[in-house]
Amino acid sequence: MESKNLVIETYAKISDLVMELSSLNNLDQIEKFIHTMISRLIIIEEEYFFTTDEKGNINSKNEISEEIKDLAAWAAKSLKISMFPLDSGKSALILPFSKSQRLLLIYICKTTVEEISNETMLFLNILSFLTATIIENLQLYSEILKTNKIVEKNRDFLNQILNSMISGLAVFDKSYKKIFFNSNFEKFEKAFGDEMLKFIKNELINLEISGEKLTKEYEYKNHFLSIDFLKTNDENYLVIISDITGTKELERLRKLDQMKTEFLSTVSHELRTPLAAIKAYSESIVDSLEILDEETLKDFMLTILNEADHLQNLLDEILDFSRLEMKTLNIKKENFSLNELIEEIYISNKNKAEANGIKIYKVLPKENIIVNLDRTRVKQILSNLIDNAIKYSDKRKDMKFVKITLKSEDDKVLILVEDNGIGISKEHHEKIFEKFYRVDSSLTYEISGTGIGLSVVKELVEIQGGKIWLKSVEGKGTRFYIEFKKGK
Ligand code: ADP
């Protein structure tokens, strides 16, 4: 019965101990707790606490006598609870707290008690074990806090770097969900919207098929992005966005500059050819006027006239181009019949087309279509398109034609200029309207031109509220469409 009571009492003590220990959260509190516990067992005269550092050295907060220091050193080695007789006739209780042979704390107190009972020893063992566990936990906890702080600091540092990058950076997981992004990625998202995200997701699907890395360009409202897609080691995707609008613009300006240089040399060449012909024929006339019969003289004069016309057209085109560039071109709108204008253009181009082995057709509606536009400019637009249709005819074809069609569509009017010439491959469709742009191919290299005709045509159409586009198949032919509003 007595031993049963003892067991109950011991358990009660241990449970009290555990309860009290669990509320401790720093070394000071632990030291106070040890003091309270020991003072319940023996009379304490003096007491000392020793802590250990990372190197295993033992330290105390207070001044300690050599005798006690030796005891602490012994405790650090033995790691055992013991009572030690002192020279003064008193005893010292030595209580080391260790975990897995690692010393965490030493408690030493001077007391008048000479011996301790087995029961007290058992209790001290339990106290030492439980307290050591708590100290170790506290140490681990403080290490975790320290590590967390380091991790946090590193994360802040990394975030700072990522956010100071000019590029947008994001990580997408396997299901293409964005799991991380820097502040610039967010900016790109805001500026380029959902369409860009859709584009990114599609390209990530492509990356899945195509390999480890992919770079794509994305264009939106005259802005250009270069987007890199990479697979990471942990099966996620890294997406890096860079704004390359500036580089693109620089590239464009450089190209424009180069085109201007080419344009100047082309123009000089274009001017020199008719001028040389005019000079040669005029010289022949001057030198041999007496021996030239009337017919030959007329031929020579006609050639001079044609070449002079050619020169004039060329100079007019350059002049219009520069006026459009400087925004000084005047548009004089008037009401006129498109049917009549096309009839006029048809007649004036018939001979030229036939001389080149090309049949020219016109398809006009019965209804007389009146528009309110600049008649001279509309004539210039259509003449230019017909000139090109003749110029870029396909020498390999027996039946060559150029066809002008006028169509009335509700409140709009559509003019088609069609040919079965060499055609234009798809990649050039947009570009041929750019200034100085010429298609460079084995079929075009012998055909002279400046590359400004269609850019002038487009400006002239748009300045009058119209639209121009084309359909063309290389080797088959080309059809230009012009749409204007009907009306007086
Ligand atoms: P160019 O002075 O070179 O004719 P344009 O601006 O009129 O300049 O035309 C630009 C380019 O478009 C031409 O160099 C030519 O390659 C192409 N092009 C224009 N019209 C036609 C056409 N009807 N058929 C085939 N190519 C054409």
Side-chain angles (χ1 to χ4, degrees):
M1 191 61 194
E2 209 171 85
S3 72
K4 198 181 169 195
N5 278 346
L6 189 68
V7 171
I8 292 172
E9 208 178 297
T10 313
Y11 275 118
K13 271 190 186 162
I14 295 174
S15 116
D16 281 352
L17 204 62
V18 171
M19 288 299 283
E20 284 192 55
L21 270 169
S22 59
S23 65
L24 306 178
N25 45 32
N26 63 46
L27 202 59
D28 276 352
Q29 288 181 359
I30 288 175
E31 287 180 2
K32 265 186 207 137
F33 168 76
I34 294 170
H35 166 82
T36 318
M37 284 297 153
I38 302 294
S39 63
R40 282 184 201 161
L41 303 170
I42 53 173
I43 300 154
I44 301 167
E45 293 205 336
E46 276 175 46
E47 65 183 356
Y48 314 93
F49 285 96
F50 296 86
T51 51
T52 53
D53 59 23
E54 287 116 49
K55 287 180 195 152
N57 299 322
I58 48 176
N59 309 301
S60 164
K61 280 182 258 173
N62 313 316
E63 274 291 306
I64 313 278
S65 67
E66 284 305 312
E67 187 183 32
I68 299 294
K69 262 189 204 163
D70 288 347
L71 287 181
W74 180 83
K77 261 193 213 144
S78 72
L79 299 180
K80 270 189 191 137
I81 304 171
S82 39
M83 284 293 275
F84 209 89
L86 297 174
D87 293 344
S88 56
K90 292 176 186 165
S91 306
L93 169 66
I94 306 169
L95 190 54
F97 298 85
S98 66
K99 204 70 206 284
S100 321
Q101 298 296 306
R102 195 164 69 90
L103 183 67
L104 303 167
L105 185 75
I106 301 171
Y107 173 80
I108 297 176
C109 75
K110 279 186 188 171
T111 174
T112 46
V113 176
E114 284 175 14
E115 259 186 62
I116 45 172
S117 65
N118 283 346
E119 192 193 324
T120 309
M121 190 54 120
L122 180 69
F123 177 75
L124 286 176
N125 266 314
I126 295 171
L127 174 72
S128 158
F129 173 77
L130 291 177
T131 312
T133 310
I134 295 294
I135 298 173
E136 191 186 41
N137 282 352
L138 282 177
Q139 280 183 354
L140 287 176
Y141 180 65
S142 97
E143 262 162 43
I144 290 174
L145 280 186
K146 251 192 244 162
T147 321
N148 270 359
K149 268 203 185 119
I150 295 172
V151 170
E152 232 168 71
K153 221 172 136 187
N154 281 345
R155 202 187 49 208
D156 284 352
F157 180 61
L158 215 70
N159 269 344
Q160 242 177 12
I161 294 179
L162 290 175
N163 286 335
S164 62
M165 278 171 73
I166 344 169
S167 302
L169 185 141
V171 178
F172 287 75
D173 68 9
K174 268 181 259 170
S175 51
Y176 312 117
K177 217 175 110 210
K178 194 175 59 182
I179 51 173
F180 171 81
F181 55 93
N182 70 352
S183 55
N184 266 347
F185 191 90
E186 218 179 353
K187 277 186 203 153
F188 280 118
E189 253 187 294
K190 272 194 194 133
F192 292 86
D194 283 348
E195 279 301 308
M196 184 192 76
L197 274 186
K198 254 189 231 159
F199 174 82
I200 288 178
K201 281 181 190 164
N202 270 342
E203 291 306 329
L204 287 178
I205 297 170
N206 284 344
L207 181 69
E208 200 45 62
I209 307 160
S210 66
E212 299 294 306
K213 201 173 174 246
L214 199 72
T215 303
K216 286 273 158 134
E217 268 187 25
Y218 181 76
E219 190 190 341
Y220 179 75
K221 289 188 184 162
N222 285 336
H223 271 270
F224 292 88
L225 302 181
S226 168
I227 313 184
D228 289 308
F229 303 87
L230 289 123
K231 256 190 211 165
T232 62
N233 290 339
D234 52 359
E235 303 274 297
N236 287 328
Y237 302 101
L238 186 65
V239 177
I240 304 168
I241 308 180
S242 317
D243 192 338
I244 52 162
T245 314
T247 327
K248 278 267 169 191
E249 180 60 11
L250 208 70
E251 247 174 51
R252 195 185 68 83
L253 290 176
R254 258 197 217 127
K255 208 165 155 214
L256 206 64
D257 208 47
Q258 187 197 341
M259 279 169 136
K260 265 185 195 162
T261 316
E262 277 168 23
F263 167 75
L264 282 180
S265 86
T266 320
V267 166
S268 331
H269 176 78
E270 290 281 298
L271 292 176
R272 198 175 293 134
T273 319
L275 210 64
I278 292 171
K279 225 176 140 204
Y281 280 96
S282 321
E283 270 168 10
S284 299
I285 295 171
V286 173
D287 291 346
S288 339
L289 191 58
E290 311 85 59
I291 52 163
L292 286 177
D293 59 71
E294 204 175 314
E295 187 107 345
T296 321
L297 186 65
K298 201 178 162 196
D299 263 3
F300 280 15
M301 299 293 270
L302 260 176
T303 311
I304 291 174
L305 199 64
N306 277 339
E307 294 297 340
D309 274 349
H310 184 60
L311 261 185
Q312 187 169 3
N313 286 341
L314 207 63
L315 288 172
D316 282 348
E317 191 175 67
I318 296 170
L319 207 65
D320 279 344
F321 174 71
S322 99
R323 281 192 193 125
L324 281 167
E325 284 284 286
M326 288 159 65
K327 312 252 180 264
T328 54
L329 190 113
N330 284 329
I331 293 291
K332 287 186 214 117
K333 288 195 178 176
E334 59 182 310
N335 286 340
F336 66 91
S337 152
L338 262 181
N339 309 50
E340 277 169 25
L341 178 72
I342 290 176
E343 191 76 47
E344 200 179 304
I345 296 171
Y346 166 77
I347 292 166
S348 64
N349 279 285
K350 200 166 179 290
N351 286 343
K352 186 178 168 194
E354 277 168 5
N356 284 282
I358 299 165
K359 186 106 184 82
I360 185 160
Y361 300 97
K362 61 174 169 26
V363 182
L364 300 172
K366 283 196 190 91
E367 168 200 356
N368 191 23
I369 298 176
I370 306 291
V371 285
N372 184 255
L373 299 165
D374 186 324
R375 193 176 195 277
T376 320
R377 295 301 176 189
V378 177
K379 188 174 177 181
Q380 183 185 349
I381 292 166
L382 297 179
S383 304
N384 203 314
L385 292 183
I386 292 166
D387 263 359
N388 275 352
I390 295 172
K391 207 159 82 169
Y392 297 103
S393 65
D394 194 341
K395 309 237 158 11
R396 301 165 299 187
K397 288 178 189 153
D398 294 332
M399 301 278 287
K400 297 188 268 284
F401 73 83
V402 174
K403 188 164 130 191
I404 323 160
T405 310
L406 179 61
K407 276 187 190 169
S408 161
E409 287 183 347
D410 303 327
D411 60 336
K412 292 196 178 102
V413 49
L414 196 66
I415 312 165
L416 279 67
V417 178
E418 189 180 342
D419 63 62
N420 67 338
I422 57 171
I424 304 163
S425 73
K426 189 120 185 82
E427 70 202 270
H428 302 293
H429 284 193
E430 290 276 318
K431 292 185 180 150
I432 55 163
F433 292 109
E434 288 173 14
K435 330 170 187 173
F436 315 130
Y437 192 85
R438 306 202 67 219
V439 177
D440 200 4
S441 81
S442 58
L443 290 173
T444 57
Y445 89 102
E446 271 192 327
I447 304 171
S448 63
T450 55
I452 56 173
L454 283 182
S455 75
V456 172
V457 164
K458 189 170 192 287
E459 281 273 341
L460 288 178
V461 170
E462 287 174 358
I463 221 170
Q464 299 183 79
K467 271 201 272 181
I468 179 164
W469 68 97
L470 81 148
K471 280 187 186 158
S472 181
V473 177
E474 199 175 20
K476 288 235 160 99
T478 306
R479 191 185 288 160
F480 281 94
Y481 296 79
I482 296 178
E483 187 186 87
F484 282 121
K485 254 202 189 146
K486 250 192 231 170
K488 298 177 183 171

